[in-house]
Amino acid sequence: MLGLDYDNSAILVAHLGNGASACAVKNGKSVDTTMGLTPLEGLVMGTRSGDIDPNVFSFLNKQLGYSLDEITDILNKKSGLLGLSEMDNDCRVIEDAAAQGNERAQLTLDVFCNVLAKKLAGFAAEMGRIDALVFTGGIGENSSVIRKNVLERLSIFGFEVDEKTNEETFRGKSGVITKPGSTVAMVVATNEELMIARDTEALIAH
Ligand code: AMP
């Protein structure tokens, strides 16, 4: 879409849905991801905490009496946007509450965006440059609020959001959302089903 040289490119991908991860893509290959052994590691998600201090396990067990299964359940199913906001795992509900002045909702959005911005900045350091930052997934494709918040945190890398195109890009629309002369940030509509179908076909073929 940008006409970049595939073999000489450095792209950051922020895939933000109910599950969320970021990826550093250099010369068309994934060279780093926020996910770990499981998808729990990394970004704040709908109900997953993302990165935590591993000592949280012994603290919650010894100090508060939670079992291993209970702690695993809390970190995977009751944390993230849901746990921080104490409202919902759906970003829309939290955005609406924040727009009405709910401070806890605003804090939740800020934590989500701050963690993401820090991860993307780390990936930029790893790759040495940024040709484009791509937002995708339910939140990445539809939330101009989250995209603006993240891009403002990354202004040191030369991102300048174009408010109008940012607000007009949603519901499956793809395109650049930054001003001319800015480091490029764009929205690309995801198509996970197609990717899964291609991978499945490749596996069956062997
Ligand atoms: P996904 O897992 O990629 O299908 O994304 C689902 C999530 O996208 C939902 O849980 C919502 O939090 C989020 N989402 C969808 N539409 C919007 C929107 N207009 N604004 C903010 N978040 C949205």
Side-chain angles (χ1 to χ4, degrees), residues 17-18 89-92 95 137-139 142-143:
N18 204 26
N89 65 316
D90 193 318
C91 196
R92 285 164 287 201
E95 281 185 23
I139 297 174
N142 295 302
S143 175

Side-chain angles (χ1 to χ4, degrees), residues 5-199:
D5 178 0
Y6 196 77
D7 296 319
N8 182 19
S9 57
I11 297 174
L12 299 169
V13 183
H15 192 132
L16 314 174
N18 204 26
S21 67
C23 187
V25 184
K26 194 161 193 188
N27 303 335
K29 289 201 176 69
S30 164
V31 293
D32 203 353
T33 172
T34 53
M35 289 185 289
L37 173 70
T38 73
L40 181 63
E41 190 178 339
L43 307 180
V44 174
M45 312 181 208
T47 62
R48 295 191 192 106
S49 62
D51 287 354
I52 49 142
D53 178 349
N55 275 336
V56 160
F57 269 88
S58 71
F59 180 87
L60 288 176
N61 175 255
K62 293 206 173 89
Q63 304 287 325
L64 300 175
Y66 287 102
S67 70
L68 193 59
D69 283 347
E70 282 170 331
I71 300 166
T72 305
D73 191 63
I74 290 168
L75 293 176
N76 282 280
K77 299 194 178 141
K78 296 177 186 158
S79 300
L81 295 178
L82 174 64
L84 288 167
S85 70
E86 297 181 335
M87 280 176 210
D88 208 293
N89 65 316
D90 193 318
C91 196
R92 285 164 287 201
V93 175
I94 301 165
E95 281 185 23
D96 287 347
Q100 283 162 27
N102 185 310
E103 286 181 15
R104 192 162 189 99
Q106 187 57 53
L107 177 70
T108 302
L109 298 179
D110 285 338
V111 171
F112 181 94
C113 294
N114 190 44
V115 170
L116 173 59
K118 286 195 291 184
K119 294 287 178 188
L120 294 173
F123 285 171
E126 275 187 299
M127 293 200 294
R129 69 174 209 264
I130 306 171
D131 291 331
L133 163 56
V134 173
F135 289 96
T136 189
I139 297 174
E141 286 170 46
N142 295 302
S143 175
S144 58
V145 170
I146 294 284
R147 293 189 303 241
K148 180 170 182 254
N149 191 324
V150 172
L151 290 174
E152 283 175 354
R153 287 170 198 277
L154 294 172
S155 61
I156 192 171
F157 294 100
F159 288 107
E160 272 189 281
V161 69
D162 182 322
E163 305 262 354
K164 190 165 177 289
T165 37
N166 184 38
E167 273 162 35
E168 286 170 356
T169 306
F170 58 97
R171 278 202 212 113
K173 257 171 84 177
S174 298
V176 173
I177 54 163
T178 39
K179 290 181 180 165
S182 161
T183 305
V184 173
M186 63 191 300
V187 174
V188 177
T190 191
N191 194 341
E192 289 160 283
E193 290 78 9
L194 178 63
M195 206 61 222
I196 292 166
R198 280 184 184 158
D199 285 351

